[in-house]
Amino acid sequence: MKEVQKLAGETGLPRFKVYSLGDKDMHSRIEVSIRKSINDGGWTVMSNCHLEPQFTQQKIEEIRASEKIHDRFRLTIVHNSHAHIEDRYYIKSSFDL
């Protein structure tokens, strides 16, 4: 996580939000943050995604379906390696978004 924070600081990022899945009411907070980040070029970090792989995949698919995405928008996904989240989303999204 320190690497992401360092990179955000080096780029002069205006908004950088970190959310941990598994906490109550986190879905709505993440959705709002992603929507704002898509529009203004902020970064959103979702951690503990292995706890809710279906939600994580749903967010990735929604982002990919978005018509307009700010050039500086970034979504960082942090999870344990045993998560059941399809790897194809990470590799492809890293280049397409």
Side-chain angles (χ1 to χ4, degrees):
M1 191 66 66
K2 289 182 181 181
E3 292 84 7
V4 175
Q5 291 172 329
K6 180 181 176 186
L7 182 59
E10 289 172 359
T11 61
L13 186 69
R15 271 186 6 92
F16 174 66
K17 299 287 185 177
V18 179
Y19 298 94
S20 179
L21 284 171
D23 293 342
K24 293 271 187 191
D25 302 320
M26 203 49 59
H27 288 197
S28 60
R29 291 179 185 177
I30 290 170
E31 290 172 355
V32 168
S33 179
I34 289 173
R35 197 58 40 213
K36 285 181 180 179
S37 295
I38 283 174
N39 291 327
D40 68 13
W43 290 10
T44 298
V45 177
M46 291 174 30
S47 66
N48 293 328
C49 292
H50 57 280
L51 299 175
E52 299 188 50
Q54 294 84 7
F55 176 77
T56 303
Q57 281 190 216
Q58 177 188 1
K59 292 297 110 192
I60 293 169
E61 290 169 8
E62 289 173 8
I63 292 166
R64 292 183 54 77
S66 297
E67 292 182 22
K68 186 175 180 182
I69 299 175
H70 195 287
D71 289 342
R72 295 188 68 188
F73 166 73
R74 299 292 182 271
L75 173 65
T76 302
I77 296 170
V78 181
H79 64 84
N80 287 345
S81 61
H82 70 274
H84 299 288
I85 302 169
E86 295 182 42
D87 289 339
R88 68 185 175 99
Y89 287 114
Y90 301 117
I91 306 289
K92 194 169 185 180
S93 297
S94 295
F95 296 102
D96 290 347
L97 296 178

